[in-house]
Amino acid sequence: MNDYHLQRKKFFDEAISRTGFRSQAPLTATFRIPCHLFSKLQIQVQEYLKASCGSNEFHEGDLQKALTEFPTKAKNISTSGIVIPKSYCDNKFTEVHQTIAEIMEQSQIADVVEFWIYPFNIRLKGTLPGSDSRAYPTELPHSETWVGCSLRSVLLHIPILGDLSNNLLKVWMPGERFEASWLKPLSSYHEAQDLIQDSTELDVNNIPGNMLMVDSSLLHGTHRTSSAGARVSIDLNVVLKSYDANIYKDDANLLVERQKLSNEHFFKIGKSLRVTSPDGEDDIFNPPDGMRHPANIKLVKI
């Protein structure tokens, strides 16, 4: 680690010391999800996928076949694999959120959270890598700051369903040439090829039943072996109180107020609030501002 990462590690370690997360590699940590909540989350995510493509189109007896064929049957999947909450599945999205909130309560993370970047992503990664012609293929090691996320953010990643051994998230520590100036919006992940080549993979405990936390100054990306099947995971970004806003200034991030969710509202979803979307199958949401996200949602009272 260079001096910049050593400095960030102090703020990162301060935050996780007040939670149920435990660190294995620098600037990463994991939380073991209680078995009953992880099983509940798996079931609810599968129900969300069914609602997305039509229950009759989902092969309940063959999960891998269902996941492989999902992109041909569901119209609410983005080029990066996000299964977008729309009007016909927003109630199932709300149910998934409620269980995630229960998991977060168990992890004791709320006390160190300034705000949640919303919505989170239920993401399906198939067997084929994203096209190199795309500006932001998630197969390339990257930081969320490169698409406009806060310098004070961390990524939370939960592997859920499918081939979680051969199709998984990997994490890298940038090399000594890394500087704070790298943590800003880029026009393409391909801009950072030199930085990527100079990075070292970290040994993180990214297994089913664990929630992985990754500091935004590290790099992460989808890795598949040659025999990999499809998988589903959840990723969400959160801004922590422990990072000094005078040091890690957010003048370059693209977040807008509608994308920032307080603890109060986060933990009310599924209880007194729910997620709703006006969009149908063929509607495409192009946000006028903020971090680009394909979900057109709002919170309403139940």
Side-chain angles (χ1 to χ4, degrees):
M1 287 191 293
N2 62 17
D3 289 343
Y4 181 79
H5 282 114
L6 286 170
Q7 181 192 59
R8 288 189 69 97
K9 186 176 181 297
K10 292 179 182 178
F11 294 108
F12 182 89
D13 290 348
E14 177 188 339
I16 66 168
S17 69
R18 297 162 56 194
T19 71
F21 283 83
R22 295 295 177 264
S23 182
Q24 177 175 336
L27 292 163
T28 71
T30 56
F31 171 72
R32 189 64 180 169
I33 300 170
C35 291
H36 72 286
L37 287 178
F38 184 62
S39 296
K40 182 180 178 182
L41 185 61
Q42 287 180 307
I43 292 168
Q44 288 179 328
V45 167
Q46 191 161 323
E47 290 298 315
Y48 177 69
L49 298 178
K50 288 181 188 177
S52 296
C53 67
S55 297
N56 295 332
E57 299 292 332
F58 201 85
H59 298 279
E60 295 204 40
D62 189 340
L63 179 61
Q64 192 54 234
K65 183 176 182 181
L67 297 182
T68 301
E69 295 181 358
F70 183 86
T72 67
K73 295 178 177 178
K75 292 187 176 181
N76 62 330
I77 186 166
S78 75
T79 54
S80 64
I82 297 172
V83 185
I84 306 162
K86 296 204 173 188
S87 58
Y88 49 89
C89 59
D90 54 13
N91 61 324
K92 295 297 183 183
F93 187 87
T94 299
E95 291 175 3
V96 172
H97 175 106
Q98 187 173 13
T99 300
I100 289 177
E102 289 183 62
I103 291 169
M104 297 305 170
E105 286 177 336
Q106 291 292 315
S107 77
Q108 302 173 3
I109 195 175
D111 286 345
V112 302
V113 169
E114 183 172 332
F115 61 84
W116 305 81
I117 299 171
Y118 207 75
F120 59 83
N121 300 318
I122 299 172
R123 195 186 299 270
L124 184 145
K125 301 303 287 187
T127 57
L128 299 175
S131 170
D132 285 341
S133 63
R134 284 176 30 222
Y136 304 106
T138 55
E139 287 76 14
L140 281 182
H142 61 277
S143 163
E144 297 302 311
T145 63
W146 297 354
V147 290
C149 203
S150 170
L151 288 176
R152 297 180 290 123
S153 67
V154 297
L155 169 72
L156 299 176
H157 174 83
I158 309 174
I160 304 290
L161 298 168
D163 188 355
L164 304 178
S165 299
N166 298 303
N167 187 340
L168 69 160
L169 190 82
K170 286 197 171 186
V171 180
W172 294 266
M173 172 72 73
E176 289 296 317
R177 290 185 295 168
F178 176 85
E179 297 177 349
S181 60
W182 273 109
L183 299 180
K184 63 182 180 181
L186 302 180
S187 62
S188 165
Y189 291 160
H190 299 281
E191 281 186 46
Q193 280 301 300
D194 289 345
L195 182 67
I196 290 170
Q197 296 300 323
D198 193 36
S199 298
T200 303
E201 184 181 343
L202 296 177
D203 182 14
V204 296
N205 201 8
N206 187 23
I207 60 175
N210 274 6
M211 174 166 51
L212 175 66
M213 182 189 293
V214 180
D215 179 83
S216 60
S217 68
L218 301 183
L219 306 179
H220 63 275
T222 300
H223 171 79
R224 301 174 181 84
T225 67
S226 58
S227 60
R231 58 98 167 157
V232 180
S233 57
I234 288 175
D235 54 269
L236 61 162
N237 292 284
V238 59
V239 171
L240 301 183
K241 297 176 183 176
S242 61
Y243 289 98
D244 189 331
N246 294 315
I247 298 175
Y248 307 108
K249 297 180 180 180
D250 274 340
D251 49 354
N253 82 38
L254 302 179
L255 289 170
V256 292
E257 287 305 312
R258 62 181 167 79
Q259 296 174 316
K260 302 175 183 179
L261 195 63
S262 67
N263 269 322
E264 179 185 4
H265 287 103
F266 186 90
F267 290 102
K268 282 184 177 179
I269 296 174
K271 296 176 180 177
S272 59
L273 297 174
R274 69 179 181 88
V275 176
T276 183
S277 172
D279 288 354
E281 278 191 347
D282 298 317
D283 292 313
I284 298 175
F285 179 56
N286 291 310
D289 56 5
M291 282 182 65
R292 292 190 61 81
H293 196 283
N296 181 18
I297 63 163
K298 64 178 180 178
L299 302 180
V300 299
K301 291 182 179 179
I302 292 177

